[in-house]
Amino acid sequence: MYLHNTKKLISIVVLLNIFQFAHGQSKLDSIQHLKEVVVTVRSYKEVIPAQKLTGEDLKALNSFSVADAIRYFSGIQVKDYGGIGGLKTVNIRSMGTHHVGVFYDGIQLGNAQNGQIDLGKFSLDNMEDISLYNGQKSDIFQPAKDFGSSGSVYLHTRTPQFSKNKNYNLKTTLKTGSFDLINPSVLYEHKIGNDLKASFNVEMMNTSGKYKYRYKRVYPGLKEVMYDTTAVRKNGDVFSFRSEAGLYGTIPDGLWKVKLYYYDSNRGLPGAIVNNVWKNSQRQWDRSFFVQGSFQKSVTNKYEIQANAKFAYDFMRFLNPDTTTMRIDNSFHQREWYGSLANKYAITPNWDISLSTDVQYNSLSSDMPGFFFPQRTTSLIALASAVEMGNFKIQGSILATFVNEDLRIGNYNPDSPYQDTVVAAPDKQELTPAFFISYKPFRNKDLNFRAFYKKIFRMPTFNDLYYTNIGFSALKPEFTHQFDVGFQYSRSFKNGFIKYVQMQADAYYNEVTDKIVAEPAKSSLYRWTMTNIGSVEIWGIDASLSAAFQLLYDIGMNLKLAYTYQKAQDFTRKDNPVLQEMSYGGQINYIPWHSGSVIASMTHKSWQLNYSFIYVGERYENSVNIQEFYQQPWYTHDMAIIKNFKMNNINMRIAGEINNLFGQDYEVVLNYPMPKRNYRILLTIEL
């Protein structure tokens, strides 16, 4: 019992250090800050540590949204469809966007319609840290949903913290710069009592999205220029408004929180530059609202419970006013109800078990002709265990998933030949295991070896199953099998200019089976069908290095390096023998063989200089790896200079940023040109 309580006390002290670091309350210098981050992210019984960017790390990046920031993790690919207003989705280790779980303050963000979370919608203004886990988070005390993804991104917003004799915090930020950007935000935190705190955050962003770009195309194989011109990107304007409110409470041996979130945007979709078309008139309106709550309590010294609940509503309207192609004006409404209860019991001080049960209900409706209204009820049960045995840490879990599909009549379309053939997808039951192990060979050396295996799947989306002229309700889930081995080593130095160093590397093999791909129906090229014929194999290496230095004249420096190698091959069988020969074994679309990033930050008293670099190597836009689909490497350099100062006890921060310093012309996705050199100025005032 004494050992258990001692470890519990140590965990509380560690958590207090994290909060101090995240909110600038610590009196340690920046080098010690970095050391705190590395030590504290490895919580009790953690087997596979996360890649993590804290609040201080995020300030060192010229990043505008969550999507911009997570590009600096190893093993990540972000698809960016052009500028501030473009869709931004994340892919972990080439398994596909649909296999990534995105969690906001501990509860997963959902999109049953198409399965993709647009990370460009989420601001960094109120973000405390971003964590990336391969496999799953190394914490068995969590909802069953947390066990259900191949990889997970956790977004944690700021939790109110107050200095002594202070009961409020006020932070205002104004960003302006290229693309006619105006981006103000206000954060207010209030201490209602010793056990109750509140926060309110509002942010508005308006931009024309206009920027110059170079469009150059060459005839494949002939090296003759088809187009070489400079144009202005149009229809990339965005107006968005975000508001959040939170209540944070503590009770004896427990805590709870409630969060309300609202997002509203009106944006142009700049579209692809194809067939000499330089402007797109499509527009999209989004409204997202959710309210969620969490409760956690230690019932006894051995038994803890955790409850989560959420309601979410999402509205999307898409307009294509171009009557020369096909005028489209459709609206979609999504609703989600979610509840979870997790239980953890300590059998011994070194052995825990947990049981989690979740229930989630999703529905989708639309004014689209011939659209059926699907409904899905998902029940999940996760049984997990974690044990420490000497130098070994072991975790295992098994997840049972039960899915029930239902259809309502919706919008009957008598002109559609497929109206009467649509049926609800069959019910599905799946059992998926995961196993994690780490080994620390030396007691006084911070060296760890780890390995894991995980089998998991993703359900077909509503679009895959029921979308007019595309969906196929008999689809099976798309499975992934993940194998990983790696190590992590860290060391602190008392003397010399190197103060801290951490390095880690992983080699992995992933296999995606029953991959869902679109195939034209044999009866009609107009009607495409989603089928389970895809197969992908991924071999890869992730490596990263973090270091802290103390240079001359009170100059400190932090450095983070990340590198990824991936061989992601498409082994999908094709009916066409020529296409089969050309594509079989080819690198899948938009996955580079080599990619990496650098983050460097230098501090001197109240000044800070930040530099970041991203490199994405050569890749192909199609698994047919021929010259016609070749995409050249791209890279960007970003820099920022920051000054912190005080005026009448008011903390102020001003920053100047230069993004894409050398003005490189590049495309993350073919025909979606990215901005050249651009600028931002930031002013922050804190009371």
Side-chain angles (χ1 to χ4, degrees):
M1 181 68 68
Y2 175 79
L3 179 62
H4 179 74
N5 291 334
T6 301
K7 290 184 176 179
K8 189 173 182 180
L9 178 62
I10 292 173
S11 299
I12 293 173
V13 173
V14 167
L15 286 172
L16 289 174
N17 285 335
I18 294 177
F19 286 134
Q20 282 186 323
F21 176 81
H23 299 291
Q25 301 299 321
S26 176
K27 302 298 183 183
L28 301 177
D29 59 21
S30 60
I31 304 301
Q32 290 171 313
H33 279 172
L34 179 61
K35 181 180 177 181
E36 280 187 51
V37 171
V38 175
V39 172
T40 56
V41 295
R42 297 179 58 222
S43 60
Y44 174 61
K45 290 190 176 75
E46 186 174 46
V47 179
I48 306 295
Q51 297 185 65
K52 193 168 188 176
L53 291 171
T54 67
E56 292 302 313
D57 296 324
L58 296 172
K59 290 178 183 178
L61 303 176
N62 294 11
S63 297
F64 194 77
S65 69
V66 169
D68 297 328
I70 64 174
R71 296 181 305 170
Y72 294 92
F73 290 137
S74 60
I76 282 287
Q77 301 87 40
V78 174
K79 281 191 176 180
D80 191 326
Y81 291 84
I84 292 178
L87 174 70
K88 297 173 176 63
T89 59
V90 62
N91 181 6
I92 297 178
R93 291 185 171 179
S94 303
M95 289 177 288
T97 300
H98 298 89
H99 290 280
V100 180
V102 182
F103 295 80
Y104 198 84
D105 284 338
I107 299 180
Q108 188 171 11
L109 297 168
N111 186 345
Q113 181 180 0
N114 59 34
Q116 297 184 340
I117 302 299
D118 182 4
L119 292 177
K121 293 181 179 180
F122 298 96
S123 170
L124 293 176
D125 182 66
N126 190 33
M127 203 61 61
E128 186 171 281
D129 62 66
I130 302 174
S131 304
L132 170 68
Y133 289 88
N134 291 300
Q136 65 195 35
K137 184 168 61 173
S138 293
D139 182 2
I140 65 169
F141 189 37
Q142 60 187 6
K145 288 281 286 184
D146 292 49
F147 295 91
S149 302
S150 299
S152 302
V153 176
Y154 285 82
L155 312 177
H156 293 111
T157 57
R158 174 167 156 163
T159 301
Q161 296 293 314
F162 302 93
S163 58
K164 189 175 182 180
N165 299 323
K166 190 177 181 183
N167 62 3
Y168 78 93
N169 298 318
L170 178 63
K171 173 185 172 184
T172 62
T173 302
L174 176 64
K175 303 175 187 176
T176 184
S178 302
F179 325 129
D180 306 306
L181 173 68
I182 298 292
N183 182 205
S185 67
V186 178
L187 171 67
Y188 177 73
E189 299 171 336
H190 188 75
K191 185 178 181 181
I192 302 173
N194 291 330
D195 299 325
L196 185 61
K197 305 170 186 176
S199 70
F200 306 91
N201 183 220
V202 294
E203 179 181 19
M204 185 272 289
M205 191 265 285
N206 188 70
T207 174
S208 68
K210 294 180 179 179
Y211 56 87
K212 291 184 178 180
Y213 65 93
R214 182 184 181 188
Y215 184 76
K216 183 179 180 180
R217 286 294 177 268
V218 179
Y219 282 108
L222 300 179
K223 297 184 179 181
E224 295 181 8
V225 175
M226 294 187 294
Y227 295 108
D228 191 356
T229 186
T230 299
V232 176
R233 192 72 158 139
K234 298 180 181 179
N235 199 45
D237 62 293
V238 181
F239 175 83
S240 66
F241 173 79
R242 175 184 61 86
S243 63
E244 298 185 47
L247 277 176
Y248 307 82
T250 58
I251 58 175
D253 298 317
L255 52 87
W256 61 269
K257 62 182 177 180
V258 177
K259 167 147 286 189
L260 283 83
Y261 178 96
Y262 177 74
Y263 176 85
D264 195 330
S265 72
N266 174 3
R267 68 183 66 204
L269 302 177
I273 307 300
V274 292
N275 298 328
N276 208 23
V277 175
W278 308 99
K279 181 182 178 181
N280 194 308
S281 300
Q282 297 176 349
R283 301 199 65 81
Q284 182 170 312
W285 292 262
D286 291 281
R287 288 199 301 270
S288 299
F289 166 80
F290 66 74
V291 55
Q292 64 183 41
S294 299
F295 172 84
Q296 185 172 328
K297 180 177 173 60
S298 296
V299 180
T300 69
N301 287 335
K302 291 188 174 185
Y303 176 54
E304 296 179 71
I305 61 170
Q306 178 188 133
N308 295 282
K310 177 180 179 179
F311 169 74
Y313 169 79
D314 292 278
F315 166 83
M316 189 270 280
R317 178 191 172 198
F318 172 77
L319 172 65
N320 178 16
D322 188 358
T323 56
T324 61
T325 54
M326 179 185 294
R327 188 181 189 279
I328 301 173
D329 188 356
N330 294 134
S331 298
F332 299 87
H333 304 260
Q334 291 191 69
R335 291 173 178 83
E336 177 183 304
W337 296 87
Y338 170 75
S340 170
L341 180 64
N343 307 265
K344 186 181 75 169
Y345 183 78
I347 300 175
T348 71
N350 296 322
W351 183 16
D352 294 340
I353 60 170
S354 73
L355 177 67
S356 305
T357 57
D358 293 10
V359 177
Q360 181 173 302
Y361 169 81
N362 295 93
S363 66
L364 174 66
S365 61
S366 173
D367 61 0
M368 185 177 180
F371 192 86
F372 281 78
F373 296 173
Q375 301 173 82
R376 174 179 292 169
T377 302
T378 306
S379 302
L380 305 103
I381 303 173
L383 179 63
S385 182
V387 62
E388 270 191 53
M389 297 188 301
N391 295 337
F392 286 92
K393 295 180 181 180
I394 302 172
Q395 286 185 9
S397 64
I398 187 162
L399 176 66
T401 306
F402 307 91
V403 181
N404 176 265
E405 302 270 348
D406 192 16
L407 279 181
R408 290 188 289 124
I409 294 299
N411 305 319
Y412 187 78
N413 181 12
D415 297 327
S416 172
Y418 311 107
Q419 183 74 44
D420 298 324
T421 63
V422 179
V423 295
D427 295 345
K428 298 178 177 65
Q429 302 86 33
E430 299 291 347
L431 206 61
T432 49
F435 180 78
F436 299 77
I437 185 170
S438 72
Y439 173 65
K440 184 178 181 180
F442 309 108
R443 179 175 298 179
N444 59 346
K445 301 290 184 182
D446 196 1
L447 172 65
N448 291 273
F449 296 93
R450 71 272 185 120
F452 76 82
Y453 164 76
K454 182 173 183 177
K455 175 185 178 182
I456 200 62
F457 69 96
R458 68 98 168 173
M459 282 295 298
T461 67
F462 283 161
N463 281 359
D464 293 338
L465 295 168
Y466 308 116
Y467 196 81
T468 306
N469 292 334
I470 294 180
F472 178 54
S473 60
L475 285 174
K476 296 180 290 185
E478 183 179 299
F479 279 87
T480 64
H481 300 262
Q482 299 170 259
F483 301 84
D484 180 286
V485 293
F487 78 92
Q488 176 178 290
Y489 173 75
S490 59
R491 182 180 177 184
S492 299
F493 300 88
K494 294 182 178 180
N495 302 314
F497 76 100
I498 300 178
K499 295 300 180 184
Y500 183 81
V501 64
Q502 182 197 70
M503 61 185 71
Q504 58 180 322
D506 288 86
Y508 56 88
Y509 169 75
N510 299 330
E511 184 179 76
V512 183
T513 58
D514 288 329
K515 189 170 180 62
I516 300 171
V517 297
E519 287 282 299
K522 295 180 180 179
S523 59
S524 171
L525 292 178
Y526 172 71
R527 178 172 170 82
W528 287 59
T529 302
M530 312 304 292
T531 58
N532 293 103
I533 63 172
S535 177
V536 174
E537 295 182 13
I538 304 113
W539 299 86
I541 297 173
D542 289 344
S544 63
L545 171 70
S546 299
F549 307 89
Q550 185 65 54
L551 307 179
L552 299 176
Y553 308 111
D554 297 324
I555 298 175
M557 180 178 177
N558 294 336
L559 180 67
K560 294 178 181 287
L561 308 176
Y563 167 76
T564 298
Y565 168 79
Q566 287 189 100
K567 185 177 182 181
Q569 295 176 280
D570 182 3
F571 290 106
T572 302
R573 296 287 180 181
K574 307 290 195 309
D575 290 335
N576 187 316
V578 177
L579 185 60
Q580 167 74 12
E581 182 179 355
M582 295 175 67
S583 66
Y584 192 78
Q587 186 84 346
I588 63 177
N589 57 315
Y590 291 109
I591 302 300
W593 280 269
H594 304 277
S595 60
S597 65
V598 178
I599 304 172
S601 177
M602 298 183 66
T603 58
H604 176 62
K605 296 182 178 179
S606 62
W607 290 91
Q608 185 172 347
L609 178 66
N610 300 326
Y611 166 79
S612 54
F613 168 78
I614 289 179
Y615 171 81
V616 174
E618 61 180 5
R619 61 214 190 283
Y620 290 87
E621 59 160 310
N622 194 296
S623 58
V624 178
N625 295 172
I626 60 176
Q627 186 64 33
E628 182 177 354
F629 302 126
Y630 176 80
Q631 294 290 293
Q632 65 182 14
W634 63 267
Y635 52 86
T636 60
H637 303 262
D638 302 328
M639 294 194 70
I641 186 168
I642 299 169
K643 169 68 174 176
N644 296 288
F645 55 95
K646 269 191 174 184
M647 293 180 61
N648 299 325
N649 294 322
I650 299 175
N651 295 317
M652 303 184 71
R653 175 186 177 99
I654 187 167
E657 300 179 354
I658 303 178
N659 303 295
N660 196 359
L661 180 63
F662 298 108
Q664 187 195 26
D665 297 288
Y666 72 101
E667 297 173 345
V668 179
V669 177
L670 180 67
N671 294 322
Y672 285 84
M674 299 295 293
K676 296 165 71 73
R677 186 183 302 110
N678 58 91
Y679 309 89
R680 278 201 302 265
I681 297 175
L682 294 81
L683 174 64
T684 301
I685 300 174
E686 293 189 72
L687 298 176

